[in-house]
């Protein structure tokens, strides 16, 4: 790729011309560029004629285009060499399309005068490539053509008319036409360009399209009055037909398929890229991207030779039919649309479907009202409710544990969660008992600031199981025992006498960390002291922070007097040595346990023990032969 192909003045002038004179939707405008063979008849003996007349007639007759949708413009200049063609194409032709139009295609056929004047083939090739790149740089396709054969008398000065005195003996002219043709075929293939083989059209070795021999062809189709041998009218018609056949030999590009942005997708600021898939069939050398019906509209080359422009469809992309353009303009707020079509020397392909999208350039205001949940949440599957914000297209809901850690982070379309002025999201969470915070931000799709955070607590979902005391008990300050509840931070105990709640010391709630060990929790309030008699009940519930779960079932209890003279009945005891019998109404923790002694019942009688505490008989508990012990749980 050449860098700096166009000067700043040309580029600015051309862009201004394009902006001032946008092309109509299907106005395919062609510049026929070259020397006198393009310009037309150069000798006064022949009526003015050029190949574009036959080309235009063929295009119209074939239905390829109507006169009002495509036009050909003669930009030939007699005696021009390719070194001069570079300057003229760059400075005069490309910046100055017909009024109200832009160039779409250049038919480039030049080099005859270079060969006639002995210029090296390498220099001619370099100049033609420079013209190709200048055209491509401003979005104009190029159809290259080889130059036609020289008339045979060019190599023999004795055969020239007396009026034609230019040049010397050119025995190598025919060979150089062939060599230049080979070079043009090579670089057009490398650059994916189209090629019209005019060297094989007019008087090739063998016969032409009409079956004329090489010698007969020159007599019939050349104007022998000109020094290098210009075509006659029939010869110009043959050149026009060759260009026509090249332009129409392959189909126009198929319609591309837009990928993104599409489907009403919303963006904060410009979409990052405009992506589409090439149409099947014949390749497009350019794609025209049209955003918002001409707000931005430009032809971009499929694989670019243009300095500073992106390669729209990289040949090594996977898949290689995908094309992408970074967003080329700054969008305003609101709805937008775009489309794309291809173009090659065969003409415009059809437009893709129109794709729609929306853009916001600044966020909405923040959400200021969070309604629920707040405080003690009634269940573990909450719905979240907040106030609607005008202009928001979606909302992002974030739920976190108060101690850190994300529980839920999801964005909801406004139309799916909002009705009137209220928005409600029901994410279907199943939350464990804990303390949480939540917040919401509005999007349009730009993100507004977060709302203030709001806390809520999910209390324990299950009740503890109240174990003991239950039924008869002996002591007045019993130990209350219940099953632990996962996730509970505290427990609340309630003791009633004849239906009236009693003040407990220490007062609840009781911290789970100091009250529970594994699956069992217990507390022994020092007051109140239970009186002998019935009418007592108790229950317990778990708390998360200050939020309570359900109460346990109530346990009824009755304090009874201690009876130490009840008969003894041995239960689960091992008889060992004789020891003093045990009597009493205290809590029994017997056996070989740290801090406990061995309790033995002797021959003196049987004892029923009203255990005020837990009835635990460890290995080593002994009963004298003949004695019996009955342990009666009073709680």
């Amino acid at each position: 790729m050449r860098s700096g192909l166009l000067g700043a003045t040309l580029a600015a002038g051309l862009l201004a011309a394009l902006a001032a004179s946008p092309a109509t939707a299907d106005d395919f405008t062609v510049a026929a560029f070259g020397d006198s063979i393009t310009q037309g008849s150069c000798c006064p003996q022949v009526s003015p004629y050029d190949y574009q007349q036959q080309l235009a007639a063929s295009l119209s007759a074939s239905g390829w285009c109507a006169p009002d949708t495509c036009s050909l413009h003669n930009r030939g200049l007699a005696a021009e060499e390719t070194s001069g063609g570079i300057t003229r194409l760059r400075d005069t032709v490309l910046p100055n399309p017909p009024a109200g139009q832009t160039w779409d295609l250049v038919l480039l056929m030049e080099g005859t005068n270079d060969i006639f004047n002995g210029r090296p083939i390498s220099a001619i090739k370099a100049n033609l490539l420079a013209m190709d790149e200048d055209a491509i740089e401003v979005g104009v396709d190029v159809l290259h053509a080889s130059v036609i054969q020289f008339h045979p008398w060019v190599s023999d000065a004795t055969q020239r008319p007396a009026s034609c005195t230019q040049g010397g003996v050119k025995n190598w002219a025919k060979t150089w036409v062939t060599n230049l043709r080979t070079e043009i075929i090579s670089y057009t293939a490398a650059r994916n360009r189209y090629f019209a083989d005019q060297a094989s059209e007019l008087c090739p070795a063998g016969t032409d399209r009409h079956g004329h021999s090489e010698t007969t062809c020159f007599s019939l189709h050349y104007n022998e009055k000109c020094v290098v041998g210009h075509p006659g009218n029939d010869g110009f018609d043959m050149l026009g037909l060759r260009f026509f056949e090249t332009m129409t030999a392959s189909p126009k590009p198929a319609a591309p398929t837009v990928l993104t942005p599409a489907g009403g997708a919303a963006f904060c600021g410009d979409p990052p890229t405009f992506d589409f898939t090439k149409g099947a069939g014949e390749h497009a050398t350019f794609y025209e991207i049209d955003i918002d019906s001409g707000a931005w509209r430009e032809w971009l080359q499929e694989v670019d030779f243009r300095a500073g422009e992106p390669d729209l469809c990289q040949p090594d992309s996977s898949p290689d039919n995908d094309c992408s353009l970074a967003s080329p303009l700054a969008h305003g707020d609101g709805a937008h649309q775009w489309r794309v079509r291809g173009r090659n020397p065969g003409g415009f392909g059809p437009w893709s479907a129109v794709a729609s999208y929306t853009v916001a350039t600044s966020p909405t205001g923040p959400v200021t009202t969070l309604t629920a949940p707040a405080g003690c949440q009634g269940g573990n599957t909450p719905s979240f409710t907040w106030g609607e914000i005008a202009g928001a297209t979606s909302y992002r809901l974030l739920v976190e544990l108060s101690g850190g850690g994300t529980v839920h982070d999801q964005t909801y379309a406004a139309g799916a969660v909002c009705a009137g002025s209220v928005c409600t999201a029901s994410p279907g969470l199943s939350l464990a008992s804990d303390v949480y915070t939540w917040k919401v931000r509005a999007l349009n799709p730009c993100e507004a600031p977060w709302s203030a955070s709001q806390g809520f607590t999910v209390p324990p979902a299950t009740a503890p199981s109240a174990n003991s005391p239950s039924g008869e008990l002996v002591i007045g300050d019993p130990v209350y025992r219940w099953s632990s509840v996962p996730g509970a931070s505290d427990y609340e105990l309630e003791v009633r006498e004849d239906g009236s709640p009693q003040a407990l010391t220490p007062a609840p709630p009781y911290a789970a960390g100091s009250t529970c060990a594994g699956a069992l929790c217990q507390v022994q309030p020092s007051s109140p002291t239970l009186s002998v008699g019935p009418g007592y009940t108790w229950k317990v519930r778990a708390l998360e922070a200050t939020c309570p779960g359900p109460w346990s079932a109530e346990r009824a209890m009755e304090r009874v007097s201690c009876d130490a003279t009840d008969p003894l009945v041995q239960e689960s005891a091992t008889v060992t040595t004789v020891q003093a019998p045990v009597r009493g109404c205290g809590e029994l923790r017997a056996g070989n346990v740290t801090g406990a002694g061995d309790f033995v019942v002797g021959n003196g009688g049987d004892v029923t023990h009203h255990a005020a505490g837990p009835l635990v008989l460890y290995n080593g508990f002994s009963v004298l032969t003949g004695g019996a012990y009955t342990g009666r749980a009073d709680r």
Side-chain angles (χ1 to χ4, degrees), residues 59 68 546 587:
L59 291 172
D68 60 344
T546 59
E587 180 175 337

Side-chain angles (χ1 to χ4, degrees), residues 383-401:
S383 294
F384 297 83
T385 303
W386 61 89
E388 186 178 21
I389 295 297
T393 56
S394 59
Y395 295 89
R396 182 180 172 191
L397 169 65
L398 180 64
V399 183
E400 299 175 297
L401 286 165

Side-chain angles (χ1 to χ4, degrees), residues 540-573:
V540 65
R541 63 181 176 182
L543 305 135
E544 177 56 52
T546 59
C547 295
W551 286 105
S552 68
E554 283 192 330
R555 285 282 190 180
M557 54 188 176
E558 176 184 359
R559 184 177 178 191
V560 297
S561 300
C562 180
D563 183 359
T565 62
D566 291 340
L568 288 168
V569 178
Q570 178 180 342
E571 286 187 0
S572 302

Side-chain angles (χ1 to χ4, degrees), residues 26-296:
D26 292 300
D27 184 12
F28 194 78
T29 306
V30 181
F33 188 87
D35 49 34
S36 58
I37 297 176
T38 297
Q39 184 180 9
S41 300
C42 68
C43 297
Q45 294 89 338
V46 180
S47 299
Y49 200 77
D50 57 39
Y51 70 75
Q52 296 101 61
Q53 298 175 56
Q54 177 62 56
L55 175 57
S58 298
L59 291 172
S60 180
S62 69
W64 187 89
C65 67
D68 60 344
T69 61
C70 63
S71 57
L72 277 70
H73 303 271
N74 193 321
R75 294 296 184 266
L77 180 63
E80 183 173 73
E81 294 188 24
T82 56
S83 58
I86 295 175
T87 302
R88 187 168 65 91
L89 181 67
R90 181 187 301 166
D91 296 345
T92 303
V93 175
L94 292 176
N96 296 291
Q101 299 175 335
T102 57
W103 295 120
D104 297 300
L105 176 64
V106 169
L107 305 178
L108 178 55
M109 184 173 63
E110 196 163 69
T112 295
N113 294 306
D114 298 68
I115 294 175
F116 189 80
N117 293 315
R119 311 304 181 202
I121 295 296
S122 59
I124 303 172
K125 174 185 175 182
N127 293 337
L128 292 173
L129 287 176
M131 286 186 268
D132 177 274
E133 293 178 359
D134 284 346
I136 293 298
E137 176 134 7
V138 293
V140 182
D141 214 334
V142 182
L143 191 161
H144 292 262
S146 53
V147 299
I148 64 174
Q149 301 292 342
F150 283 75
H151 194 282
W153 51 249
V154 170
S155 61
D156 186 353
T158 62
Q159 297 187 35
R160 298 181 203 157
S163 60
C164 298
T165 58
Q166 179 182 358
V169 177
K170 312 291 183 183
N171 293 323
W172 34 259
K174 185 176 180 113
T175 300
W176 279 35
V177 168
T178 301
N179 292 344
L180 180 59
R181 172 182 177 272
T182 300
E183 291 292 341
I184 295 174
I185 289 173
S186 176
Y187 72 67
T188 54
R191 294 194 171 188
N192 210 15
R193 301 285 192 268
Y194 288 75
F195 171 68
D197 193 3
Q198 302 293 14
S200 297
E201 178 65 34
L202 272 179
C203 305
T207 57
D208 64 17
R209 68 169 62 232
H210 302 295
H212 302 139
S213 68
E214 187 174 6
T215 302
T216 306
C217 169
F218 282 111
S219 300
L220 293 174
H221 304 308
Y222 271 62
N223 170 20
E224 298 185 3
K225 302 298 183 182
C226 287
V227 63
V228 296
H230 281 213
N233 289 5
D234 287 347
F236 279 122
D237 285 345
M238 294 170 71
L239 297 181
L241 287 171
R242 176 67 75 165
F243 277 121
F244 167 74
E245 290 167 354
T246 303
M247 291 174 64
T248 60
S250 298
K252 301 173 185 179
T257 300
V258 293
L259 301 176
T260 185
F267 298 88
C268 180
D270 305 328
T273 58
F274 288 79
D275 300 322
F276 62 92
T277 299
K278 290 190 273 185
E282 186 65 14
H283 76 274
T285 45
F286 283 91
Y287 286 98
E288 183 179 26
I289 296 178
D290 176 24
I291 301 175
D292 288 341
S293 300
W296 190 91

Side-chain angles (χ1 to χ4, degrees), residues 361-382:
T361 57
S362 59
T364 66
V367 173
T368 57
T369 303
L370 301 183
T371 306
C376 296
Q377 170 62 28
N380 68 340
T381 57

